Amino acid sequence: QVQLVESGGGLVQAGGSLRLSCSASRSTISFLSMDWYRQAPEKQRELVASITRDGITNYTDSVKGRFVLSGDAAKNTVFLQMDSLKPEDTGVYYCHGVGIFSRRDYWGQGTRVIVSS
């Protein structure tokens, strides 16, 4: 059973930074891509950032220039560095991966980020 475990969420003031981590129970290169989604209160879950196994990253427009997604294959971990946080970044952040062969979706349990104004 593949597991994704997020950590690093918390309460931060606007303008501050947080670094989220997603540790996988198997090598990150066994995923076609790994992504971060977030779900704000009473809103649908949205894709925030993604990284392919080739290291290509993509970001939703609202976080470009503020968030950086990176991976450490040796540690089976991906990171989401979030700077210049805004109250609208508040939500539960979920790590997601797609199995390279199975094409199955794997989700973590989520980590909560609260940005106060």
Side-chain angles (χ1 to χ4, degrees):
Q1 181 72 15
V2 177
Q3 289 187 322
L4 301 176
V5 180
E6 304 98 332
S7 61
L11 173 64
V12 64
Q13 288 188 331
S17 298
L18 284 174
R19 189 191 196 205
L20 305 184
S21 299
C22 172
S23 296
S25 59
R26 70 184 195 196
S27 174
T28 54
I29 63 173
S30 68
F31 295 95
L32 189 63
S33 65
M34 295 197 73
D35 324 291
W36 285 95
Y37 283 75
R38 70 184 175 196
Q39 187 163 17
E42 301 182 359
K43 290 189 177 181
Q44 289 188 332
R45 194 173 296 188
E46 64 169 342
L47 177 63
V48 175
S50 63
I51 185 167
T52 69
R53 64 194 304 268
D54 297 324
I56 298 171
T57 55
N58 283 288
Y59 303 90
T60 192
D61 286 345
S62 63
V63 308
K64 285 180 180 177
R66 300 189 297 120
F67 291 11
V68 176
L69 177 55
S70 61
D72 185 337
K75 296 182 179 179
N76 296 346
T77 302
V78 293
F79 305 96
L80 185 65
Q81 178 66 41
M82 306 187 297
D83 298 322
S84 302
L85 283 162
K86 304 176 181 180
E88 51 264 44
D89 295 319
T90 293
V92 180
Y93 283 70
Y94 296 92
C95 183
H96 168 261
V98 178
I100 190 170
F101 297 114
S102 67
R103 296 296 197 267
R104 283 188 61 184
D105 290 293
Y106 299 98
W107 291 93
Q109 82 288 350
T111 185
R112 187 174 301 275
V113 172
I114 301 173
V115 183
S116 62
S117 56

